[in-house]
Amino acid sequence: MSIALTESEVALTGPAVDKMTELFAQVEDGVQGVRVYAAAGGCSGVSFGMTFTDNIGEQDGVRDFNEFKVVVDDDTLGYLRGVEIDFVDQGDGNATFVFNNLPTQGGGCSSCGSSSQGGCSS
């Protein structure tokens, strides 16, 4: 049985919930949720991504939004606390999910080396 997560552990804005609801109305029946994962890299020391999943493990944390579930493994959850998932649509075809309130674990902008290629924005 998976572990129920609270809003303080997995926070989504209204636009993010609306977009996820829309996306889940279009996916195959076997998809059980959207998995949020962490990967090393970026100015904060970690970057996040999301993918549809058809597998929810016993040790996964799950936040149920009725129309969809957000699934997070224990390692990712340690990084995700305090982060807010938002959906931003600038109206020019550039719409994306963003992760707000990222903790700064490195030295901030320029500590990861991507600023020399224009990767950081302030």
Side-chain angles (χ1 to χ4, degrees), residues 15 19 86-98 100 121:
K19 188 61 176 181
D86 193 9
F87 181 76
V88 178
D89 186 351
Q90 298 175 349
D92 59 359
N94 188 15
T96 187
F97 287 97
V98 295
N100 297 323
S121 59

Side-chain angles (χ1 to χ4, degrees), residues 7-8 11-13 44 46 48 78-86 98-105:
E7 183 177 357
S8 66
L12 275 72
T13 63
S44 67
V46 65
F48 294 101
Y79 295 110
L80 195 62
R81 284 188 180 95
V83 174
E84 174 188 73
I85 301 171
D86 193 9
V98 295
F99 294 83
N100 297 323
N101 307 324
L102 291 173
T104 303
Q105 295 178 349

Side-chain angles (χ1 to χ4, degrees), residues 7-28:
E7 183 177 357
S8 66
E9 293 170 311
V10 176
L12 275 72
T13 63
V17 170
D18 293 345
K19 188 61 176 181
M20 287 282 191
T21 300
E22 177 186 327
L23 291 172
F24 269 85
Q26 302 171 20
V27 297
E28 298 174 13

Side-chain angles (χ1 to χ4, degrees), residues 4 6-7 14 24 28 35 47 58 60 66 70 72-73 78 106:
T6 64
E7 183 177 357
F24 269 85
E28 298 174 13
R35 182 173 294 280
S47 60
E58 288 186 19
D60 283 331
N66 295 323
V70 175
V72 184
D73 66 63

Side-chain angles (χ1 to χ4, degrees), residues 43-86:
C43 294
S44 67
V46 65
S47 60
F48 294 101
M50 296 187 299
T51 187
F52 291 116
T53 186
D54 56 2
N55 183 23
I56 299 176
E58 288 186 19
Q59 297 301 312
D60 283 331
V62 176
R63 178 137 185 241
D64 192 341
F65 287 88
N66 295 323
E67 295 85 5
F68 65 93
K69 293 178 174 78
V70 175
V71 182
V72 184
D73 66 63
D74 195 47
D75 291 336
T76 298
L77 187 58
Y79 295 110
L80 195 62
R81 284 188 180 95
V83 174
E84 174 188 73
I85 301 171
D86 193 9

